[in-house]
Short mmCIF file of all heavy atoms in Angstrom, two decimals:
data_model
loop_
_atom_site.label_atom_id
_atom_site.label_comp_id
_atom_site.label_asym_id
_atom_site.label_seq_id
_atom_site.Cartn_x
_atom_site.Cartn_y
_atom_site.Cartn_z
N GLY A 52 -18.30 -11.47 13.02
CA GLY A 52 -17.20 -12.36 13.40
C GLY A 52 -16.05 -11.73 14.15
O GLY A 52 -15.01 -12.37 14.33
N GLY A 53 -16.19 -10.48 14.57
CA GLY A 53 -15.14 -9.84 15.35
C GLY A 53 -13.96 -9.36 14.52
O GLY A 53 -14.05 -9.23 13.30
N PHE A 54 -12.85 -9.14 15.19
CA PHE A 54 -11.66 -8.55 14.58
C PHE A 54 -11.17 -9.35 13.39
O PHE A 54 -10.87 -8.80 12.31
CB PHE A 54 -10.56 -8.44 15.64
CG PHE A 54 -9.33 -7.73 15.19
CD1 PHE A 54 -9.20 -6.35 15.28
CD2 PHE A 54 -8.25 -8.46 14.68
CE1 PHE A 54 -8.05 -5.71 14.87
CE2 PHE A 54 -7.09 -7.82 14.27
CZ PHE A 54 -7.00 -6.44 14.36
N ASP A 55 -11.08 -10.66 13.55
CA ASP A 55 -10.51 -11.50 12.48
C ASP A 55 -11.39 -11.55 11.24
O ASP A 55 -10.90 -11.86 10.14
CB ASP A 55 -10.27 -12.92 13.00
CG ASP A 55 -9.17 -12.97 14.06
OD1 ASP A 55 -8.31 -12.06 14.05
OD2 ASP A 55 -9.19 -13.90 14.89
N ALA A 56 -12.69 -11.27 11.40
CA ALA A 56 -13.61 -11.33 10.26
C ALA A 56 -13.47 -10.12 9.34
O ALA A 56 -13.95 -10.16 8.21
CB ALA A 56 -15.05 -11.44 10.76
N VAL A 57 -12.82 -9.09 9.82
CA VAL A 57 -12.66 -7.87 9.01
C VAL A 57 -11.40 -8.02 8.16
O VAL A 57 -10.28 -7.75 8.63
CB VAL A 57 -12.59 -6.60 9.88
CG1 VAL A 57 -12.46 -5.36 9.02
CG2 VAL A 57 -13.84 -6.50 10.76
N GLN A 58 -11.58 -8.49 6.94
CA GLN A 58 -10.49 -8.62 5.98
C GLN A 58 -10.66 -7.53 4.92
O GLN A 58 -11.77 -7.34 4.41
CB GLN A 58 -10.50 -10.00 5.33
CG GLN A 58 -10.34 -11.16 6.32
CD GLN A 58 -9.01 -11.10 7.07
OE1 GLN A 58 -7.97 -10.77 6.50
NE2 GLN A 58 -9.04 -11.42 8.36
N MET A 59 -9.58 -6.85 4.61
CA MET A 59 -9.69 -5.68 3.73
C MET A 59 -10.30 -6.04 2.38
O MET A 59 -11.10 -5.28 1.84
CB MET A 59 -8.32 -5.03 3.55
CG MET A 59 -7.73 -4.48 4.85
SD MET A 59 -8.72 -3.14 5.58
CE MET A 59 -8.00 -1.71 4.76
N ARG A 60 -9.96 -7.18 1.82
CA ARG A 60 -10.53 -7.57 0.52
C ARG A 60 -12.04 -7.75 0.63
O ARG A 60 -12.80 -7.32 -0.26
CB ARG A 60 -9.87 -8.84 0.02
CG ARG A 60 -10.26 -9.21 -1.41
CD ARG A 60 -9.43 -10.36 -1.92
NE ARG A 60 -8.02 -10.01 -2.03
CZ ARG A 60 -7.48 -9.32 -3.04
NH1 ARG A 60 -8.26 -8.90 -4.02
NH2 ARG A 60 -6.20 -9.07 -3.06
N GLU A 61 -12.49 -8.37 1.73
CA GLU A 61 -13.93 -8.57 1.91
C GLU A 61 -14.64 -7.23 2.13
O GLU A 61 -15.77 -7.03 1.68
CB GLU A 61 -14.20 -9.51 3.08
CG GLU A 61 -13.85 -10.96 2.78
CD GLU A 61 -14.39 -11.88 3.85
OE1 GLU A 61 -15.48 -11.63 4.41
OE2 GLU A 61 -13.69 -12.87 4.15
N VAL A 62 -14.01 -6.34 2.87
CA VAL A 62 -14.58 -5.00 3.07
C VAL A 62 -14.74 -4.30 1.73
O VAL A 62 -15.78 -3.68 1.45
CB VAL A 62 -13.71 -4.15 4.02
CG1 VAL A 62 -14.22 -2.71 4.07
CG2 VAL A 62 -13.68 -4.76 5.41
N ALA A 63 -13.71 -4.40 0.90
CA ALA A 63 -13.77 -3.75 -0.42
C ALA A 63 -14.91 -4.34 -1.26
O ALA A 63 -15.68 -3.60 -1.89
CB ALA A 63 -12.43 -3.94 -1.15
N GLU A 64 -15.04 -5.66 -1.25
CA GLU A 64 -16.10 -6.30 -2.02
C GLU A 64 -17.48 -5.92 -1.48
O GLU A 64 -18.39 -5.61 -2.25
CB GLU A 64 -15.92 -7.82 -1.99
CG GLU A 64 -14.70 -8.30 -2.76
CD GLU A 64 -14.46 -9.79 -2.59
OE1 GLU A 64 -15.23 -10.43 -1.83
OE2 GLU A 64 -13.52 -10.31 -3.21
N SER A 65 -17.62 -5.92 -0.17
CA SER A 65 -18.92 -5.61 0.44
C SER A 65 -19.34 -4.17 0.20
O SER A 65 -20.53 -3.87 0.07
CB SER A 65 -18.88 -5.88 1.94
OG SER A 65 -18.66 -7.25 2.21
N SER A 66 -18.37 -3.27 0.17
CA SER A 66 -18.67 -1.84 -0.01
C SER A 66 -18.60 -1.42 -1.48
O SER A 66 -18.81 -0.27 -1.80
CB SER A 66 -17.72 -0.98 0.81
OG SER A 66 -16.37 -1.27 0.49
N GLN A 67 -18.29 -2.38 -2.35
CA GLN A 67 -18.24 -2.14 -3.80
C GLN A 67 -17.24 -1.05 -4.17
O GLN A 67 -17.55 -0.14 -4.96
CB GLN A 67 -19.65 -1.80 -4.33
CG GLN A 67 -20.65 -2.92 -4.11
CD GLN A 67 -22.03 -2.58 -4.64
OE1 GLN A 67 -22.45 -1.42 -4.61
NE2 GLN A 67 -22.76 -3.58 -5.13
N VAL A 68 -16.05 -1.16 -3.61
CA VAL A 68 -14.95 -0.28 -3.99
C VAL A 68 -13.75 -1.14 -4.32
O VAL A 68 -13.63 -2.27 -3.88
CB VAL A 68 -14.58 0.72 -2.87
CG1 VAL A 68 -15.78 1.57 -2.46
CG2 VAL A 68 -14.01 0.00 -1.65
N ALA A 69 -12.83 -0.59 -5.11
CA ALA A 69 -11.61 -1.29 -5.44
C ALA A 69 -10.73 -1.40 -4.20
O ALA A 69 -10.76 -0.51 -3.33
CB ALA A 69 -10.87 -0.56 -6.56
N LEU A 70 -9.94 -2.48 -4.11
CA LEU A 70 -9.08 -2.67 -2.94
C LEU A 70 -8.10 -1.50 -2.78
O LEU A 70 -7.86 -1.03 -1.68
CB LEU A 70 -8.33 -4.00 -3.07
CG LEU A 70 -7.49 -4.42 -1.86
CD1 LEU A 70 -8.35 -4.56 -0.60
CD2 LEU A 70 -6.77 -5.73 -2.16
N GLY A 71 -7.55 -1.03 -3.89
CA GLY A 71 -6.64 0.10 -3.83
C GLY A 71 -7.31 1.36 -3.31
O GLY A 71 -6.71 2.13 -2.56
N THR A 72 -8.57 1.54 -3.68
CA THR A 72 -9.34 2.69 -3.19
C THR A 72 -9.55 2.59 -1.70
O THR A 72 -9.41 3.57 -0.95
CB THR A 72 -10.70 2.78 -3.90
OG1 THR A 72 -10.50 2.92 -5.30
CG2 THR A 72 -11.52 3.95 -3.38
#
Side-chain angles (χ1 to χ4, degrees):
F54 185 87
D55 292 336
V57 181
Q58 300 298 321
M59 297 297 271
R60 188 172 296 279
E61 287 191 36
V62 173
E64 291 174 358
S65 296
S66 56
Q67 299 181 327
V68 302
L70 186 59
T72 300

